[in-house]
Amino acid sequence: MSAQNVKLEVGQMAPDFDLPAAGGGRISLADLAGAPALIWFYPAANTPLCTTQACDLRDNYDMFTDAGYRIVGISPDPIEDIETFVEKQNLPFTMAGDESHEVMAAYGAWGMKNMYGRQVEGTIRSTFAIDAEGRLTFVKYRVGTPKHIAVLREKLVL
């Protein structure tokens, strides 16, 4: 199965996952049951655009928690790199690693993308909102970092 063929849509059930989390332990879709959640996939910890995106979410964290959302960030990085990222940027939400790319592929967040004029396989910056039952309520592929918070505020009515 080719990862770029998977494209999720609002109304579908979110794919299950179970990943190692920064700070120890694991995070799974089951852990998010009972409240809405925001899951965002990003290419690499400690890179400029990913840091901007993470810090924007951090700086607007109260807006999400006030609406009952939990936030989970997922990248293909080793968990040690993600832990450094969390500490360096003081990120208050769960950050997990998907080194196998299996979860990213299930969400359609892993596949071919254009990078500096070349086709490469990698993380497709994507964001998903799920409801308390695990159903997708928002799906956005190829997220534009500068507009990420504004789009979420509008689409999730925060």
Side-chain angles (χ1 to χ4, degrees):
M1 179 179 78
S2 179
Q4 64 264 29
N5 292 336
V6 174
K7 291 292 180 220
L8 301 178
E9 296 177 5
V10 169
Q12 288 181 290
M13 295 304 290
D16 199 9
F17 64 88
D18 182 1
L19 294 169
R26 300 185 70 80
I27 183 74
S28 69
L29 186 63
D31 294 331
L32 301 175
L38 187 74
I39 302 170
W40 60 286
F41 295 91
Y42 64 100
N46 298 303
T47 58
L49 281 178
C50 296
T51 298
T52 297
Q53 189 177 23
C55 291
D56 284 349
L57 286 164
R58 176 199 67 204
D59 295 347
N60 288 278
Y61 185 62
D62 288 346
M63 176 178 71
F64 293 100
T65 58
D66 288 351
Y69 279 85
R70 288 171 285 174
I71 299 174
V72 178
I74 300 172
S75 81
D77 295 307
I79 200 67
E80 297 80 18
D81 292 352
I82 296 168
E83 288 177 343
T84 300
F85 188 40
V86 167
E87 291 170 21
K88 189 174 177 182
Q89 302 304 330
N90 194 29
L91 302 177
F93 35 79
T94 302
M95 299 289 279
D98 181 19
E99 288 187 79
S100 71
H101 316 138
E102 288 177 21
V103 173
M104 287 185 279
Y107 277 81
W110 182 265
M112 297 307 291
K113 63 182 185 174
N114 190 348
M115 192 166 180
Y116 307 113
R118 294 184 317 128
Q119 286 291 314
V120 297
E121 187 176 41
T123 305
I124 298 164
R125 193 181 303 275
S126 307
T127 301
F128 304 86
I130 61 172
D131 66 15
E133 288 76 43
R135 189 168 305 280
L136 295 167
T137 59
F138 173 77
V139 174
K140 177 70 175 150
Y141 292 101
R142 302 192 192 303
V143 170
T145 301
K147 297 179 181 175
H148 192 217
I149 296 299
V151 167
L152 291 172
R153 184 177 284 127
E154 175 191 338
K155 299 295 184 183
L156 303 180
V157 193
L158 300 173

